[in-house]
Amino acid sequence: MPKSPVPETMTCVEISEPGGPEVLKPTKRPVPKPAKGEVLIRIAAAGVNRPDCTQRAGRYAPPPGVTDIPGLEAAGEIVAVGDQVADWKIGDKVCALLAGGGYAEYAVAPAPQCLPVPGSLGMVEAGALPETFFTVWSNLYDRARLKTGETLLVHGGSSGIGTTAIQVAAKRGAHVIATAGNAEKCKVCLDLGAERAINYKEEDFVEAVKQFTQGRGADVVLDMVGGDYIPRNITAMATDGRHLSIAFLQGSTAEVNFMPVMLKRLTMTGATLRPQSVERKGEIARALREHVWPMIANGEIKPVIHTTFPLAEAAEAHRLMESSRHIGKIVLIP
Ligand SMILES: NC(=O)c1ccc[n+]([C@@H]2O[C@H](COP(=O)([O-])OP(=O)(O)OC[C@H]3O[C@@H](n4cnc5c(N)ncnc54)[C@H](OP(=O)(O)O)[C@@H]3O)[C@@H](O)[C@H]2O)c1
């Protein structure tokens, strides 16, 4: 059957004003045109990420020059290519890390931020890969240099980020400890490869980490909670440990005694993915393609999908995400 041509306009979801999920409104916008070095993707599935909720609430503006339509990742088919795109052609099935614009029927993506859909993975799963895999890889391996045999503590183990970090780190030979807010979430963390799951509402994670590591502590901590978790993480860390801040669900300020940072030679670092350059994101894409995509293609690593929503019901998707009842990823289908 001949492919339908690219239309002039598309349905997308915009943030009509900063606020709660109800400000997400379906609307019509022109289909974007791929600039030099970009491709245009007809979106089959687009992942929802917690930073989208922060953007909707008015606390995470898109970088300069980026569309105000939310959405940091998508999978679909390339339907147009801009000048100077050598690696991709019309008809290729890809998933892409976006700086924005995923809540739509079409989005443009810089060519280096596209990856092939691994193996026979479905589009829903593929659309849920880029944001968490780019974030997890760049933090655990580029920044923290997590090694085989080291212990990783992942907070929010049942989140999109957490379910990715547990699987990637465990498959690459780290001992993973995860925290989560209930027994069902803890079981999922164990099923994904964590060796210890801590229900942080019932157990003190610092004690549990110390016990699990026979007093040594965790070599790397991936933290999205912040607040009083920061001094507690420091207590739970091993000598030469690395602490990665990727979000602050409980606030970005904390009272911290830096003595153990000095005595244990800890590294405190962190990063946000979105403002980094296309070149840098391209490097992360190449590393993922080499080290992780084969494990997704052969089924060793499976993205955890909680549920899907039609694109027009993006507000419901945000309500679910902010309830924290989900396990893994929530995906929008145009
Ligand atoms: N820096 C970056 O580049 C980057 C990129 C992507 C995402 N992120 C951040 O990473 C985090 C995870 O993103 P995601 O899309 O995977 O989110 P998500 O699936 O919505 O997961 C967040 C999880 O955190 C836990 N949580 C929520 N509030 C908490 C609190 N006050 N204390 C402790 N745990 C809490 C919840 O699980 P429980 O039931 O276990 O509490 C929830 O499921 C978000 O904060 C996001 O902003 C950062």
Side-chain angles (χ1 to χ4, degrees):
M1 225 173 60
K3 294 270 160 60
S4 52
V6 178
E8 286 298 316
T9 60
M10 64 176 185
T11 300
C12 63
V13 168
E14 67 180 7
I15 300 169
S16 55
E17 60 184 315
E22 69 286 352
V23 305
L24 293 174
K25 300 261 168 68
T27 187
K28 289 274 182 196
R29 292 265 187 106
V31 171
K33 303 235 179 312
K36 190 170 80 178
E38 290 182 340
V39 300
L40 177 67
I41 299 169
R42 181 187 288 129
I43 295 177
V48 176
N49 293 279
R50 201 51 88 126
D52 306 345
C53 303
T54 317
Q55 177 176 343
R56 188 209 70 221
R59 298 194 307 271
Y60 192 38
V66 169
T67 175
D68 62 335
I69 299 171
L72 299 172
E73 60 186 352
E77 184 181 339
I78 293 180
V79 290
V81 293
D83 290 341
Q84 294 179 21
V85 173
D87 298 341
W88 302 109
K89 59 181 191 315
I90 290 173
D92 284 347
K93 303 273 199 304
V94 293
C95 51
L97 180 75
L98 310 172
Y103 289 21
E105 291 178 302
Y106 293 85
V108 287
Q113 293 174 209
C114 297
L115 282 156
V117 173
S120 57
L121 202 71
M123 280 293 175
V124 169
E125 286 78 11
L129 294 176
E131 177 68 12
T132 64
F133 280 78
F134 277 69
T135 301
V136 163
W137 182 270
S138 59
N139 278 285
L140 293 189
Y141 294 101
D142 293 336
R143 302 195 79 74
R145 310 223 166 260
L146 177 65
K147 293 193 268 300
T148 304
E150 286 193 320
T151 301
L152 168 70
L153 170 62
V154 181
H155 291 301
S158 67
S159 64
I161 291 279
T163 54
T164 301
I166 292 169
Q167 293 191 79
V168 173
K171 289 288 173 213
R172 289 176 59 83
H175 303 288
V176 181
I177 307 172
T179 66
N182 64 37
E184 186 194 0
K185 290 180 172 187
C186 284
K187 179 171 184 312
V188 170
C189 295
L190 294 172
D191 291 345
L192 292 173
E195 293 173 36
R196 176 78 163 87
I198 303 163
N199 179 347
Y200 67 85
K201 293 183 179 158
E202 293 179 351
E203 268 188 281
D204 173 21
F205 76 79
V206 178
E207 273 311 304
V209 169
K210 289 277 183 177
Q211 253 177 28
F212 180 81
T213 58
Q214 277 121 37
R216 226 178 64 80
D219 299 291
V220 175
V221 179
L222 185 63
D223 183 49
M224 59 181 72
V225 181
D228 76 347
Y229 270 42
I230 296 172
R232 294 169 71 200
N233 288 337
I234 289 173
T235 307
M237 283 168 76
T239 300
D240 289 316
R242 289 85 79 199
H243 186 281
L244 299 155
S245 292
I246 59 159
F248 299 102
L249 288 164
Q250 269 178 28
S252 58
T253 57
E255 191 173 316
V256 175
N257 175 3
F258 266 78
M259 187 63 79
V261 175
M262 180 175 74
L263 294 177
K264 292 199 276 187
R265 300 185 295 278
L266 304 182
T267 302
M268 309 293 290
T269 182
T272 55
L273 180 63
R274 197 182 193 185
Q276 297 187 45
S277 68
V278 170
E279 191 187 9
R280 176 75 199 105
K281 291 171 183 170
E283 286 168 9
I284 303 169
R286 283 195 293 279
L288 284 171
R289 198 166 176 169
E290 182 182 343
H291 299 291
V292 180
W293 254 227
M295 288 197 272
I296 302 175
N298 71 18
E300 274 183 87
I301 291 179
K302 293 191 182 74
V304 179
I305 307 298
H306 182 83
T307 192
T308 64
F309 287 92
L311 175 63
E313 292 172 26
E316 275 313 307
H318 276 214
R319 279 187 195 101
L320 174 59
M321 178 158 272
E322 289 177 326
S323 77
S324 288
R325 279 184 289 110
H326 65 294
I327 294 177
K329 297 281 299 192
I330 301 167
V331 177
L332 298 174
I333 311 291

